[in-house]
Each structure stands twice: as C-alpha cells, then as structure tokens.
Amino acid sequence: MVVDVKPLQRLSRPEVAFTFDWTRRAVESRGWEYEVWSEPPAAELENIRFLAGYRRDWLFNPEILEALRDADLDGLPLGQAMGCLPDHPEPQVRSAIYHLLWKQAFVTDLDQPLGPSHILRRSA
C-alpha cells in the first residue's frame, strides 16, 4: 500500500488533486492499494496528545496495572472504572487507566473529548 499524507486544508487545491490522481493511477496500475490520509479529527488528536502523557511504563505502580488488567472493566464508563480499586488512591488508578488506554490494553471512542462517560472496552 502507498499512502500520501497531506493536511486536510490542502486537499482541495487543484495541484494536489492532480498529483494524487496521477499517483493513484500509477500505484493502482501496479496492483497496489493507494490511500490519502490527513490529520485525525481535532478531538481525536487532542485525546491522543493527552494520553501520550501517560505513555511511560516506569511511572505507574505495577500492582495497580496488574489489578486493572485483571478487573472486569469491559463496558464500564471511565468515571466508574476509576473507582474500581478502592484500596488504591483514585489519582493513581485514573493515571494507570489512561496508561492502559495509551498501551491499548483498553480502548474507547476517542472521537469525542475524553470524559467520565466514555465506555472502556478490553482490547482484542
């Protein structure tokens, strides 16, 4: 697969459309797939940037991470999941959940600003 990447606001320019059309024909003539990608929607990008702050493994209590991985959080709202380990400080549990979202142990819809009503799903 060949992917062209261009900012969304530039896709409507005639010279960009011409180039992408030419590239598509050349790539597809070889039997390959061709796609054009742009930046994700603003809310998704902000959520990804936010979760990136929770990417470093060494910052999180391994005991809390293990307990969250073992907990049945599938289908729970994020706000409710943050209270699922009452023996641990809620800010540490919340941070660990964000870390596990970053690591994709859990997933949620990132198309809307992240909030307590977001439903957690265990990653496949």
Side-chain angles (χ1 to χ4, degrees), residues 41-106:
E44 182 181 357
L45 186 57
E46 287 302 313
N47 285 331
I48 291 168
R49 286 179 176 153
F50 171 76
L51 291 173
Y54 297 88
R55 68 186 175 277
R56 293 178 181 85
D57 294 319
W58 58 272
L59 292 173
F60 303 95
N61 181 326
E63 179 184 323
I64 293 175
L65 292 173
E66 183 178 342
L68 287 170
R69 284 186 186 102
D70 292 342
D72 185 17
L73 302 180
D74 195 46
L76 283 183
L78 186 56
Q80 186 177 343
M82 290 177 184
C84 75
L85 300 178
D87 295 340
H88 298 282
E90 189 270 336
Q92 289 182 17
V93 174
R94 180 179 58 242
S95 294
I97 289 172
Y98 290 150
H99 175 69
L100 292 174
L101 280 167
W102 174 260
K103 300 293 273 187
Q104 296 182 345
F106 294 104

Side-chain angles (χ1 to χ4, degrees), residues 1-4 27 31-37:
M1 174 181 289
V2 174
V3 176
D4 263 326
V27 167
W32 300 341
E33 293 180 47
Y34 176 78
E35 292 184 8
V36 176
W37 294 355

